[in-house]
Amino acid sequence: LQHRQLGGWVTIVVAQGGKACLRPYNAFEWIFAMLLTTLAVMATVTSVCVAFISLRRMLRRCRKGSRIKDARRLKDAPPISAVIPCYLPNEQYIIEETVEWIMRQVESPGPLEVLVVYNTPKDLPDIEARLKELEVDGSWPEGRKLRVMRVSESTSKAANLNAALKCVHQPYVVIYDADHHPDSDSLLLLLEKMVRRDVDCVQGSYYMRNLGQNQFGCSPCSFPFLARIIDAEFFTDWFLMKLVTRTFFLGNGYFSGSNALWKTEVLASRQFSETAQTEDV
C-alpha cells in the first residue's frame, strides 16, 4: 500500500487510467467551494450572534425586575409625551387599536400624554371622527390625555414629527409607529436607562409577537412563515448590522425613527428632513 501526499486544499482526487490522480479545481469547482465557504462563515457568525443575544437576554431578564423597580421609585417622575405619527389612509384600520394599547397597557413612571399626529391627502370623515371621540374620552386610566392633530401641509412622517415637536411641552418624548404595541414595562426601562446613563436618547428594539400566525401553505401542511421571516430580519438588522457594526466598530448610536425615548429639548433642537425619500426617518 503506497501513501501519496495530497496536493493541497485546492486539488481534487479523480480516477484516471485506473489510478487516483490529483488535479486543480476547475472554474465551477472554485465557485462551488467559495459558496460553501461563504455559507460556513455566515452560519458561524449567525451562531455566535444567536448565542450572544441569547446570553444577553438571559442576563437582562435577571436584571429587568430591579430596573423596573428603580424606575417606579424615581422621585418626581417626569411627565412624558408619546407621539404617534400616522399616514391615515394606510393606517386608518390599526391606529385606534394602537392608541388603546398605549393608553391602557403601557406603564409610565409619570403622567402620560399621547399625541396622534397624522396627514392624509383626502378627508376620511369616519376615522377622523372616531379619533376625535377618543380625544374627548375622559375614561383613560390615571388621568391620561389624548390629543389628535392633523397636519394639513404634511406629506411625510418627518413633517408630522416636526409639527408634533412644536406642541410637546413635557421634558421627555417617546415616539411610536402607528403599528407598535410596546411592552407594558418598556417605557419604564427606557427612562430608567436614560437616567442611569445620563444620555439624551435611549433606542428600543423590536420583535414579533405573533410568530404562530401568518400561515404559509394549507392545513395540515401550513407553517407560520411571514412572521418568522420578519422576526429574522429584525434580528439581523438590529443585533448584527446595527449593534455589532455601529456600536462595536464605529462607536455610534442609532435612532431608527421610532420606539425611542428622547429629552424633548434635544430632539426639538433638530429638524427631520422632509425631503429625504426613505421608508422611515
Side-chain angles (χ1 to χ4, degrees):
L1 180 63
Q2 184 178 7
H3 296 277
R4 296 184 179 180
Q5 185 176 1
L6 294 177
W9 291 96
V10 293
T11 57
I12 188 171
V13 179
V14 296
Q16 187 176 15
K19 297 181 180 180
C21 301
L22 299 175
R23 66 165 177 80
Y25 284 177
N26 58 32
F28 172 78
E29 290 160 349
W30 267 110
I31 294 174
F32 186 69
M34 293 302 295
L35 288 174
L36 287 179
T37 303
T38 302
L39 289 174
V41 171
M42 292 177 63
T44 301
V45 171
T46 302
S47 299
V48 171
C49 290
V50 169
F52 170 76
I53 296 302
S54 298
L55 179 60
R56 180 173 178 266
R57 285 179 177 175
M58 291 174 61
L59 293 175
R60 290 185 65 184
R61 287 193 193 102
C62 295
R63 297 181 298 177
K64 185 177 180 179
S66 61
R67 297 278 167 83
I68 292 175
K69 292 179 181 178
D70 291 341
R72 288 172 177 160
R73 286 197 297 262
L74 285 175
K75 295 182 178 179
D76 300 323
I80 298 175
S81 284
V83 175
I84 310 175
C86 175
Y87 180 60
L88 207 52
N90 288 359
E91 296 164 326
Q92 60 179 306
Y93 303 108
I94 61 174
I95 184 61
E96 293 171 277
E97 180 184 353
T98 299
V99 169
E100 289 277 353
W101 178 276
I102 293 174
M103 292 290 279
R104 299 189 185 279
Q105 301 296 330
V106 177
E107 184 177 356
S108 176
L112 179 66
E113 177 188 65
V114 176
L115 172 59
V116 176
V117 53
Y118 71 92
N119 65 297
T120 176
K122 60 181 181 180
D123 292 338
L124 297 170
D126 291 340
I127 181 60
E128 291 184 89
R130 294 200 301 270
L131 287 175
K132 286 298 182 182
E133 290 176 4
L134 291 177
E135 184 178 24
V136 298
D137 188 350
S139 64
W140 299 118
E142 301 174 356
R144 295 181 175 183
K145 296 181 180 180
L146 172 67
R147 287 194 292 162
V148 179
M149 181 174 68
R150 177 176 178 176
V151 186
S152 301
E153 68 277 8
S154 172
T155 58
S156 66
K157 176 181 177 180
N160 290 348
L161 287 174
N162 287 335
L165 289 173
K166 296 177 182 178
C167 304
V168 172
H169 306 293
Q170 281 72 14
Y172 295 95
V173 57
V174 60
I175 300 175
Y176 295 122
D177 277 347
D179 58 352
H180 280 178
H181 285 190
D183 285 348
S184 59
D185 54 13
S186 59
L187 190 53
L188 291 174
L189 294 171
L190 288 174
L191 182 63
E192 188 278 333
K193 190 166 189 176
M194 176 174 282
V195 173
R196 175 166 46 86
R197 295 285 185 90
D198 190 23
V199 293
D200 296 327
C201 174
V202 178
Q203 173 68 60
S205 60
Y206 305 89
Y207 71 96
M208 298 293 293
R209 284 198 183 97
N210 58 337
L211 294 179
Q213 299 177 13
N214 300 293
Q215 301 291 332
F216 176 79
C218 299
S219 181
C221 300
S222 60
F223 180 76
F225 194 68
L226 181 59
R228 294 185 183 276
I229 289 179
I230 298 175
D231 195 51
E233 177 196 6
F234 282 164
F235 173 83
T236 303
D237 184 39
W238 275 98
F239 296 107
L240 182 59
M241 301 302 295
K242 294 183 176 69
L243 177 65
V244 177
T245 305
R246 290 180 177 271
T247 305
F248 289 167
F249 293 107
L250 300 180
N252 294 332
Y254 180 83
F255 170 48
S256 72
S258 58
N259 197 28
L261 179 66
W262 279 86
K263 290 181 179 178
T264 303
E265 61 178 356
V266 175
L267 187 59
S269 67
R270 306 171 185 272
Q271 281 284 311
F272 292 102
S273 174
E274 300 179 14
T275 59
Q277 297 298 313
T278 62
E279 185 216 1
D280 218 309
V281 174

